[in-house]
mmCIF file of all heavy atoms in Angstrom:
data_model
loop_
_atom_site.group_PDB
_atom_site.id
_atom_site.type_symbol
_atom_site.label_atom_id
_atom_site.label_comp_id
_atom_site.label_asym_id
_atom_site.label_seq_id
_atom_site.Cartn_x
_atom_site.Cartn_y
_atom_site.Cartn_z
ATOM 1 N N GLY A 10 -142.273 74.561 -175.840
ATOM 2 C CA GLY A 10 -143.233 75.255 -176.692
ATOM 3 C C GLY A 10 -144.511 75.612 -175.949
ATOM 4 O O GLY A 10 -145.140 74.754 -175.321
ATOM 5 N N ALA A 24 -145.926 69.551 -159.137
ATOM 6 C CA ALA A 24 -145.354 68.222 -159.398
ATOM 7 C C ALA A 24 -144.487 67.722 -158.252
ATOM 8 O O ALA A 24 -144.467 66.520 -157.959
ATOM 9 C CB ALA A 24 -144.551 68.251 -160.689
ATOM 10 N N ALA A 59 -145.460 88.270 -152.945
ATOM 11 C CA ALA A 59 -144.747 89.482 -153.379
ATOM 12 C C ALA A 59 -145.373 90.066 -154.638
ATOM 13 O O ALA A 59 -145.465 91.290 -154.788
ATOM 14 C CB ALA A 59 -143.273 89.151 -153.617
ATOM 15 N N VAL A 71 -140.416 96.513 -163.316
ATOM 16 C CA VAL A 71 -140.117 96.400 -161.889
ATOM 17 C C VAL A 71 -138.629 96.118 -161.754
ATOM 18 O O VAL A 71 -138.131 95.101 -162.241
ATOM 19 C CB VAL A 71 -140.927 95.277 -161.218
ATOM 20 C CG1 VAL A 71 -140.453 95.062 -159.783
ATOM 21 C CG2 VAL A 71 -142.419 95.610 -161.236
ATOM 22 N N PHE A 99 -129.270 95.429 -158.932
ATOM 23 C CA PHE A 99 -128.555 95.172 -157.685
ATOM 24 C C PHE A 99 -128.893 96.275 -156.713
ATOM 25 O O PHE A 99 -129.386 97.338 -157.104
ATOM 26 C CB PHE A 99 -127.044 95.112 -157.928
ATOM 27 C CG PHE A 99 -126.550 96.164 -158.889
ATOM 28 C CD1 PHE A 99 -126.214 97.440 -158.452
ATOM 29 C CD2 PHE A 99 -126.447 95.885 -160.243
ATOM 30 C CE1 PHE A 99 -125.774 98.414 -159.343
ATOM 31 C CE2 PHE A 99 -126.012 96.855 -161.144
ATOM 32 C CZ PHE A 99 -125.676 98.120 -160.696
ATOM 33 N N PRO A 101 -128.346 99.407 -154.117
ATOM 34 C CA PRO A 101 -127.455 100.568 -154.253
ATOM 35 C C PRO A 101 -126.164 100.463 -153.448
ATOM 36 O O PRO A 101 -125.228 101.231 -153.687
ATOM 37 C CB PRO A 101 -128.309 101.738 -153.734
ATOM 38 C CG PRO A 101 -129.713 101.274 -153.853
ATOM 39 C CD PRO A 101 -129.673 99.798 -153.629
ATOM 40 N N LEU A 110 -126.246 102.140 -161.957
ATOM 41 C CA LEU A 110 -127.605 101.889 -161.488
ATOM 42 C C LEU A 110 -128.508 103.079 -161.796
ATOM 43 O O LEU A 110 -129.641 102.910 -162.266
ATOM 44 C CB LEU A 110 -127.594 101.591 -159.995
ATOM 45 C CG LEU A 110 -128.943 101.270 -159.349
ATOM 46 C CD1 LEU A 110 -129.588 100.063 -160.015
ATOM 47 C CD2 LEU A 110 -128.775 101.025 -157.851
ATOM 48 N N GLN A 129 -134.179 98.110 -147.729
ATOM 49 C CA GLN A 129 -135.298 98.963 -148.138
ATOM 50 C C GLN A 129 -135.034 100.451 -147.902
ATOM 51 O O GLN A 129 -135.326 101.287 -148.766
ATOM 52 C CB GLN A 129 -136.581 98.535 -147.431
ATOM 53 C CG GLN A 129 -137.819 99.259 -147.954
ATOM 54 C CD GLN A 129 -139.112 98.580 -147.517
ATOM 55 O OE1 GLN A 129 -139.084 97.550 -146.840
ATOM 56 N NE2 GLN A 129 -140.245 99.129 -147.910
ATOM 57 N N ASP A 137 -137.790 107.035 -156.410
ATOM 58 C CA ASP A 137 -139.002 107.741 -155.985
ATOM 59 C C ASP A 137 -140.255 107.019 -156.469
ATOM 60 O O ASP A 137 -141.256 107.639 -156.827
ATOM 61 C CB ASP A 137 -138.988 109.181 -156.484
ATOM 62 C CG ASP A 137 -138.840 109.272 -157.999
ATOM 63 O OD1 ASP A 137 -138.785 108.207 -158.655
ATOM 64 O OD2 ASP A 137 -138.798 110.398 -158.527
ATOM 65 N N PRO A 224 -132.629 76.247 -163.736
ATOM 66 C CA PRO A 224 -133.262 75.389 -162.721
ATOM 67 C C PRO A 224 -134.787 75.502 -162.719
ATOM 68 O O PRO A 224 -135.490 74.496 -162.543
ATOM 69 C CB PRO A 224 -132.666 75.897 -161.409
ATOM 70 C CG PRO A 224 -131.385 76.539 -161.798
ATOM 71 C CD PRO A 224 -131.627 77.141 -163.142
ATOM 72 N N ALA A 238 -118.597 86.278 -151.272
ATOM 73 C CA ALA A 238 -118.131 85.090 -150.547
ATOM 74 C C ALA A 238 -117.131 84.304 -151.393
ATOM 75 O O ALA A 238 -116.187 83.714 -150.855
ATOM 76 C CB ALA A 238 -119.318 84.207 -150.168
ATOM 77 N N PRO A 261 -116.537 83.070 -165.458
ATOM 78 C CA PRO A 261 -115.631 83.676 -166.427
ATOM 79 C C PRO A 261 -114.206 83.188 -166.218
ATOM 80 O O PRO A 261 -113.873 82.587 -165.184
ATOM 81 C CB PRO A 261 -115.770 85.175 -166.144
ATOM 82 C CG PRO A 261 -116.208 85.255 -164.726
ATOM 83 C CD PRO A 261 -117.037 84.033 -164.463
ATOM 84 N N THR A 367 -119.803 74.573 -180.997
ATOM 85 C CA THR A 367 -120.728 74.803 -182.102
ATOM 86 C C THR A 367 -122.083 75.227 -181.557
ATOM 87 O O THR A 367 -122.401 74.972 -180.397
ATOM 88 C CB THR A 367 -120.896 73.507 -182.926
ATOM 89 O OG1 THR A 367 -121.366 72.460 -182.058
ATOM 90 C CG2 THR A 367 -119.573 73.074 -183.555
ATOM 91 N N GLY A 370 -129.397 74.636 -182.179
ATOM 92 C CA GLY A 370 -130.704 75.262 -182.345
ATOM 93 C C GLY A 370 -130.656 76.703 -182.790
ATOM 94 O O GLY A 370 -131.642 77.438 -182.665
ATOM 95 N N ALA A 383 -120.955 86.440 -195.949
ATOM 96 C CA ALA A 383 -120.443 85.410 -195.050
ATOM 97 C C ALA A 383 -119.070 84.945 -195.511
ATOM 98 O O ALA A 383 -118.835 84.738 -196.710
ATOM 99 C CB ALA A 383 -121.409 84.228 -195.005
ATOM 100 N N GLY A 396 -131.519 83.027 -184.340
ATOM 101 C CA GLY A 396 -132.196 81.928 -183.663
ATOM 102 C C GLY A 396 -133.293 82.431 -182.758
ATOM 103 O O GLY A 396 -133.435 83.645 -182.517
ATOM 104 N N ARG A 459 -102.360 97.344 -189.907
ATOM 105 C CA ARG A 459 -102.249 95.971 -189.441
ATOM 106 C C ARG A 459 -103.058 95.793 -188.163
ATOM 107 O O ARG A 459 -103.021 96.635 -187.257
ATOM 108 C CB ARG A 459 -100.778 95.637 -189.195
ATOM 109 C CG ARG A 459 -100.491 94.176 -188.902
ATOM 110 C CD ARG A 459 -99.003 93.887 -189.069
ATOM 111 N NE ARG A 459 -98.684 92.502 -188.733
ATOM 112 C CZ ARG A 459 -98.243 92.097 -187.549
ATOM 113 N NH1 ARG A 459 -98.059 92.989 -186.590
ATOM 114 N NH2 ARG A 459 -97.975 90.831 -187.328
ATOM 115 N N ALA A 468 -101.458 89.703 -173.021
ATOM 116 C CA ALA A 468 -100.799 88.486 -172.539
ATOM 117 C C ALA A 468 -99.286 88.614 -172.632
ATOM 118 O O ALA A 468 -98.553 88.172 -171.737
ATOM 119 C CB ALA A 468 -101.285 87.281 -173.347
ATOM 120 N N ALA A 473 -94.058 89.699 -168.715
ATOM 121 C CA ALA A 473 -92.815 90.389 -168.350
ATOM 122 C C ALA A 473 -92.438 90.194 -166.896
ATOM 123 O O ALA A 473 -91.257 90.281 -166.539
ATOM 124 C CB ALA A 473 -92.941 91.886 -168.657
ATOM 125 N N VAL A 498 -101.750 99.528 -169.823
ATOM 126 C CA VAL A 498 -101.907 99.795 -168.391
ATOM 127 C C VAL A 498 -101.996 98.432 -167.704
ATOM 128 O O VAL A 498 -102.842 97.611 -168.052
ATOM 129 C CB VAL A 498 -103.172 100.619 -168.100
ATOM 130 C CG1 VAL A 498 -103.312 100.867 -166.596
ATOM 131 C CG2 VAL A 498 -103.132 101.948 -168.846
ATOM 132 N N GLU A 512 -89.452 100.126 -161.538
ATOM 133 C CA GLU A 512 -90.618 100.342 -162.384
ATOM 134 C C GLU A 512 -90.196 100.696 -163.808
ATOM 135 O O GLU A 512 -90.781 100.211 -164.787
ATOM 136 C CB GLU A 512 -91.483 101.462 -161.796
ATOM 137 C CG GLU A 512 -92.801 101.653 -162.519
ATOM 138 C CD GLU A 512 -93.742 102.575 -161.765
ATOM 139 O OE1 GLU A 512 -93.433 102.950 -160.611
ATOM 140 O OE2 GLU A 512 -94.804 102.914 -162.337
ATOM 141 N N ALA A 530 -94.414 99.640 -181.224
ATOM 142 C CA ALA A 530 -93.688 100.535 -180.325
ATOM 143 C C ALA A 530 -94.715 101.206 -179.419
ATOM 144 O O ALA A 530 -95.527 102.021 -179.888
ATOM 145 C CB ALA A 530 -92.907 101.575 -181.117
ATOM 146 N N ASP A 533 -96.932 104.387 -174.225
ATOM 147 C CA ASP A 533 -96.809 104.440 -172.766
ATOM 148 C C ASP A 533 -97.020 103.050 -172.169
ATOM 149 O O ASP A 533 -97.824 102.255 -172.674
ATOM 150 C CB ASP A 533 -97.856 105.384 -172.147
ATOM 151 C CG ASP A 533 -97.442 106.848 -172.207
ATOM 152 O OD1 ASP A 533 -96.224 107.106 -172.237
ATOM 153 O OD2 ASP A 533 -98.338 107.709 -172.228
#
Side-chain angles (χ1 to χ4, degrees):
V71 172
F99 41 86
L110 181 58
Q129 188 165 359
D137 57 2
T367 58
R459 189 164 177 264
V498 179
E512 187 169 352
D533 278 333

